[in-house]
Amino acid sequence: MKKALIAYVATLLAFLLLDGLWLGVLMAPTYRELLGSLMLEKPLLVPAAVFYCLYVFGCVVFVVLPSLTWQRAARFGALLGLVAYGTYDLTNWATLRGWSAQVSLMDWAWGTFATALACAVGFFVTSRVGRSVR
């Protein structure tokens, strides 16, 4: 149980840090320019929190805990990100006015990378801290 909690917290913190930098610092002006009126002035915190908690739960259950190496966690994290973000971005591209191929490809690549890195960090921290917590 402690191992799962460590994996969850480590993966969540890594993903929040990465996504916060991406959305809040690096890409905020680009997303505002490309998505315009589709974006809210301020994001809704409850749905965002539910997404992060649920997505990281999936990362931990399907990737971090079953992995035997950080490399495997990164590879399978990338695969999970590819599928999850691909589903989101391709659906938006197919159904929303103003959602472009550029936004889809950029966000899809980011989700793949961020999930891979967060899962690798989650695995690494769990394997290091987990040894001393047992």
Side-chain angles (χ1 to χ4, degrees):
M1 185 65 159
K2 285 184 182 179
K3 182 178 179 180
L5 184 59
I6 291 166
Y8 187 82
V9 170
T11 307
L12 180 63
L13 290 175
F15 196 78
L16 286 173
L17 178 65
L18 289 166
D19 223 31
L21 286 171
W22 177 258
L23 293 172
V25 178
L26 300 173
M27 295 305 293
T30 303
Y31 278 128
R32 271 194 286 284
E33 178 186 325
L34 294 174
L35 297 175
S37 64
L38 290 175
M39 288 185 67
L40 296 173
E41 287 297 316
K42 286 188 169 198
L44 301 175
L45 295 182
V46 172
V50 172
F51 161 74
Y52 285 111
C53 290
L54 184 62
Y55 190 67
V56 169
F57 178 77
C59 289
V60 169
V61 169
F62 297 122
V63 178
V64 176
L65 291 178
S67 291
L68 300 175
T69 66
W70 71 265
Q71 294 93 334
R72 183 174 171 87
R75 283 193 308 272
F76 278 81
L79 182 60
L80 178 61
L82 184 77
V83 171
Y85 276 74
T87 301
Y88 169 78
D89 286 304
L90 293 171
T91 299
N92 284 345
W93 187 15
T95 61
L96 297 177
R97 258 185 231 109
W99 193 276
S100 66
Q102 181 183 4
V103 171
S104 288
L105 293 173
M106 185 174 51
D107 191 64
W108 196 359
W110 169 251
T112 300
F113 171 78
T115 305
L117 188 54
C119 287
V121 167
F123 176 86
F124 182 80
V125 169
T126 303
S127 67
R128 295 300 181 259
V129 175
R131 284 187 218 156
S132 62
V133 173
R134 291 180 196 171

